[in-house]
Amino acid sequence: MDYQIKTGNPEKQSSGCLVVSITDKTKLSPTAKQIDQASEGLLSKLIRRGDLERKTGKILLLNAVPNIKAQRVLMVHCGDSKELDEGKFISLMQNVFSVIKTCGAKDALIFPDEFQLPEHELDWNIAQIISQCEDSLYQFNQLKSKQDNQPTKFSRLTFALSNRDQLEEAQAAISIARAIARGKSLAKTLGNLPGNICTPGYLADQARELAKTHKKLSTSVIEEKQMTELGMGALLSVSAGSIEPAKLIVMNYKGGKKDAAPQVLVGKGVTFDTGGISLKPGAAMDEMKFDMCGAASVFGTMAALVALELPINVIGIVAAAENMPGGEATKPGDIVTSLSGQTIEILNTDAEGRLVLCDALTYAEMFNPAAIIDIATLTGACVIALGKHATGLFTNQDSLAVELLKAGNEAYDRAWHMPLWQDYQSQLDSNFADMANIGGREGGSITAACFLARYTKEQRWAHLDIAGTAWNSGKEKGATGRPVALLTHYLLDRAAEIEID
Ligand code: BES
Ligand code: MN
Ligand code: ZN
């Protein structure tokens, strides 16, 4: 998709589709008014006649409007514009792009000012328009022998600015949004790929490919033999029942000063989670191909980072394994020793995410990080607690929570701060090892985070449980690319701090 910026008169703009806003009070936006005048009152006539339903998000596509250059005009009802909130804005933009991509237009022109939310600036607005545009155009059809839809002709979106002073802000917003879009698209595709293609080995290959795209990015992969030598008993216990060997993938982006402490992202990359010997029930088990979406978000964020060439050091670690109930699989009651030296009684082989992560987190300490953030589809309990709208955020440093919550709000890829109190730790007590890998039904997402906290005591660390946000189920089944936008904004904010220093 090509994004451009223009200034000038709407009725003189040649475009495949001009998007104009209609509101309860003023009815016609300034642009709509000009089109209305040029077309001898067509728009106001249609509104009077009730062709455009008076409801936020309703749209009406007009063809061949007289006396204007654009081929089509898309009227969009924004309701009471003072009450336009993020949710309404996003569903409204979804409607807009679902029409634009199928109406035959090669390009569209939108006036972001006319869809301004009271609580956000122009850059947020442009970023979200691009995000909705990209989400609407994203397709995963590489595994279908025949394509279902005709390919869209829509390939250029132009932002028309009312004021030349906005140029710089708009340009910056576009380049950030494009980088995020690229990262989200990669994350979605890796997530959507089935478990028989997207194996730990496939992810390792993808990391090597990504490293080829930028000279400051390099990839190394730790194989099972080396994991055994290092003592990564927890990670190895997950891949034990699978014929697919585990991989610990390390992507190193050196954009900052040589001695600057890196931000480390650690992704859960369980390429398929059957539950292992503690086998999951059959219903919707296919969705456990998405159990590597934490890893996918690390890939996506690395891709965005490379596109933006941020002046910071970032290390992306992916703990990739397949959780299968093979003859050599770990059994409930088995005790393993993690890289940290702490022993774990595996009471449920389906609580495997924390097992792959704990060794990756210990490994991450080696980089003397500024912060470690892990991202994981860790618990069904998090889906129950927060649903699909918020990512669960756990941290041992409140200041890190503040930074991540802020990034989530900027990106509209939001997280919610959950407790990580000592009180919950005793749920992980084991009679036979240093800890058990499950903490009972109560507060399941919290005890999972408590488990990880035992491996990050010395670190500035946060854990993002994306079990509810990483993919959609049902008719819209597919990976969402979350939380690439949150993580990219978090890194942008870190880069901005350096530039101030
Ligand atoms: N990958 C799952 C978590 C999950 C389940 C995410 C459903 C999204 C939807 C994880 O490995 C898992 O199985 N967790 C168990 C933990 C339990 C055994 C303590 C869970 O949530 O049931
Ligand atoms: Mn599991
Ligand atoms: Zn899992």
Short mmCIF file of all heavy atoms in Angstrom, two decimals, residues 261-265 315 364 368-373 400 403 459-462 490 494:
data_model
loop_
_atom_site.label_atom_id
_atom_site.label_comp_id
_atom_site.label_asym_id
_atom_site.label_seq_id
_atom_site.Cartn_x
_atom_site.Cartn_y
_atom_site.Cartn_z
N ALA A 261 22.80 -0.75 27.18
CA ALA A 261 22.09 -1.97 27.59
C ALA A 261 20.90 -2.22 26.67
O ALA A 261 20.15 -1.30 26.36
CB ALA A 261 21.63 -1.83 29.03
N PRO A 262 20.73 -3.46 26.23
CA PRO A 262 19.64 -3.74 25.27
C PRO A 262 18.29 -3.92 25.95
O PRO A 262 18.20 -4.31 27.10
CB PRO A 262 20.09 -5.06 24.64
CG PRO A 262 20.86 -5.75 25.72
CD PRO A 262 21.55 -4.66 26.50
N GLN A 263 17.25 -3.67 25.18
CA GLN A 263 15.91 -4.10 25.54
C GLN A 263 15.82 -5.54 25.04
O GLN A 263 16.19 -5.81 23.89
CB GLN A 263 14.87 -3.25 24.80
CG GLN A 263 14.92 -1.77 25.15
CD GLN A 263 14.39 -1.48 26.54
OE1 GLN A 263 13.55 -2.24 27.07
NE2 GLN A 263 14.87 -0.41 27.15
N VAL A 264 15.33 -6.43 25.88
CA VAL A 264 15.22 -7.83 25.43
C VAL A 264 13.75 -8.25 25.39
O VAL A 264 13.01 -8.07 26.36
CB VAL A 264 16.02 -8.78 26.35
CG1 VAL A 264 15.87 -10.22 25.87
CG2 VAL A 264 17.48 -8.40 26.38
N LEU A 265 13.34 -8.76 24.25
CA LEU A 265 11.98 -9.30 24.09
C LEU A 265 12.08 -10.81 24.02
O LEU A 265 12.91 -11.34 23.28
CB LEU A 265 11.35 -8.78 22.79
CG LEU A 265 11.35 -7.26 22.58
CD1 LEU A 265 10.77 -6.92 21.21
CD2 LEU A 265 10.55 -6.58 23.69
N ILE A 315 17.30 -7.10 21.65
CA ILE A 315 17.51 -8.52 21.40
C ILE A 315 16.16 -9.23 21.45
O ILE A 315 15.39 -9.04 22.39
CB ILE A 315 18.49 -9.10 22.43
CG1 ILE A 315 19.87 -8.48 22.16
CG2 ILE A 315 18.57 -10.63 22.32
CD1 ILE A 315 20.89 -8.76 23.20
N ALA A 364 18.36 -14.77 28.90
CA ALA A 364 18.30 -13.34 28.58
C ALA A 364 19.13 -12.50 29.56
O ALA A 364 19.66 -11.44 29.19
CB ALA A 364 16.85 -12.87 28.58
N ASN A 368 22.76 -8.50 30.15
CA ASN A 368 22.64 -7.34 31.02
C ASN A 368 21.63 -6.32 30.51
O ASN A 368 21.97 -5.17 30.23
CB ASN A 368 24.00 -6.66 31.20
CG ASN A 368 24.96 -7.56 31.94
OD1 ASN A 368 24.57 -8.25 32.88
ND2 ASN A 368 26.21 -7.60 31.48
N PRO A 369 20.40 -6.73 30.39
CA PRO A 369 19.41 -5.90 29.71
C PRO A 369 18.96 -4.67 30.49
O PRO A 369 19.01 -4.67 31.73
CB PRO A 369 18.23 -6.83 29.51
CG PRO A 369 18.54 -8.11 30.16
CD PRO A 369 19.84 -8.02 30.84
N ALA A 370 18.50 -3.67 29.75
CA ALA A 370 17.84 -2.51 30.37
C ALA A 370 16.47 -2.97 30.89
O ALA A 370 16.01 -2.52 31.94
CB ALA A 370 17.67 -1.40 29.35
N ALA A 371 15.85 -3.85 30.14
CA ALA A 371 14.58 -4.45 30.57
C ALA A 371 14.35 -5.73 29.78
O ALA A 371 14.85 -5.86 28.66
CB ALA A 371 13.42 -3.49 30.33
N ILE A 372 13.62 -6.65 30.39
CA ILE A 372 13.20 -7.87 29.67
C ILE A 372 11.68 -7.88 29.64
O ILE A 372 11.03 -7.70 30.67
CB ILE A 372 13.67 -9.17 30.39
CG1 ILE A 372 15.18 -9.16 30.61
CG2 ILE A 372 13.25 -10.40 29.61
CD1 ILE A 372 15.69 -10.40 31.35
N ILE A 373 11.15 -8.07 28.45
CA ILE A 373 9.69 -8.19 28.33
C ILE A 373 9.40 -9.51 27.64
O ILE A 373 9.89 -9.75 26.54
CB ILE A 373 9.12 -7.03 27.48
CG1 ILE A 373 9.44 -5.69 28.15
CG2 ILE A 373 7.61 -7.19 27.30
CD1 ILE A 373 9.26 -4.51 27.25
N LEU A 400 7.98 0.22 34.85
CA LEU A 400 7.91 -0.47 33.56
C LEU A 400 6.44 -0.65 33.14
O LEU A 400 6.11 -0.55 31.95
CB LEU A 400 8.63 -1.82 33.65
CG LEU A 400 8.82 -2.63 32.36
CD1 LEU A 400 9.49 -1.79 31.27
CD2 LEU A 400 9.65 -3.89 32.64
N GLU A 403 5.37 2.55 31.53
CA GLU A 403 5.86 2.69 30.16
C GLU A 403 5.08 1.82 29.18
O GLU A 403 4.74 2.25 28.07
CB GLU A 403 7.35 2.32 30.10
CG GLU A 403 8.23 3.30 30.84
CD GLU A 403 9.70 2.88 30.92
OE1 GLU A 403 10.07 1.83 30.35
OE2 GLU A 403 10.47 3.62 31.56
N GLN A 459 16.06 -8.72 37.53
CA GLN A 459 15.87 -7.96 36.29
C GLN A 459 14.71 -6.99 36.38
O GLN A 459 13.79 -7.17 37.18
CB GLN A 459 15.61 -8.92 35.12
CG GLN A 459 16.67 -9.97 34.91
CD GLN A 459 18.00 -9.36 34.54
OE1 GLN A 459 18.06 -8.37 33.80
NE2 GLN A 459 19.08 -9.93 35.03
N ARG A 460 14.78 -5.98 35.51
CA ARG A 460 13.62 -5.12 35.29
C ARG A 460 12.81 -5.86 34.23
O ARG A 460 13.20 -5.94 33.07
CB ARG A 460 14.14 -3.78 34.76
CG ARG A 460 13.13 -2.71 34.77
CD ARG A 460 13.81 -1.33 34.67
NE ARG A 460 12.77 -0.34 34.74
CZ ARG A 460 12.21 0.20 33.66
NH1 ARG A 460 12.65 -0.09 32.47
NH2 ARG A 460 11.20 1.06 33.80
N TRP A 461 11.72 -6.45 34.66
CA TRP A 461 11.03 -7.43 33.81
C TRP A 461 9.52 -7.22 33.76
O TRP A 461 8.92 -6.83 34.75
CB TRP A 461 11.37 -8.84 34.35
CG TRP A 461 10.41 -9.91 33.93
CD1 TRP A 461 10.36 -10.55 32.73
CD2 TRP A 461 9.34 -10.47 34.72
NE1 TRP A 461 9.34 -11.47 32.71
CE2 TRP A 461 8.70 -11.44 33.93
CE3 TRP A 461 8.87 -10.23 36.02
CZ2 TRP A 461 7.60 -12.18 34.38
CZ3 TRP A 461 7.79 -10.97 36.48
CH2 TRP A 461 7.17 -11.94 35.66
N ALA A 462 8.96 -7.48 32.61
CA ALA A 462 7.49 -7.49 32.50
C ALA A 462 7.07 -8.69 31.65
O ALA A 462 7.82 -9.17 30.81
CB ALA A 462 6.98 -6.20 31.87
N TYR A 490 6.61 1.13 22.52
CA TYR A 490 7.49 1.07 23.69
C TYR A 490 8.94 1.34 23.27
O TYR A 490 9.66 2.13 23.89
CB TYR A 490 7.36 -0.30 24.37
CG TYR A 490 8.42 -0.57 25.40
CD1 TYR A 490 8.34 -0.02 26.68
CD2 TYR A 490 9.53 -1.36 25.09
CE1 TYR A 490 9.33 -0.25 27.62
CE2 TYR A 490 10.52 -1.61 26.02
CZ TYR A 490 10.42 -1.04 27.29
OH TYR A 490 11.42 -1.26 28.21
N ARG A 494 11.62 4.51 23.99
CA ARG A 494 12.99 4.35 24.51
C ARG A 494 13.98 5.09 23.60
O ARG A 494 14.91 5.72 24.07
CB ARG A 494 13.39 2.87 24.59
CG ARG A 494 12.48 1.99 25.45
CD ARG A 494 12.53 2.30 26.93
NE ARG A 494 11.85 3.51 27.38
CZ ARG A 494 10.52 3.68 27.45
NH1 ARG A 494 9.70 2.73 27.10
NH2 ARG A 494 10.01 4.82 27.89
#
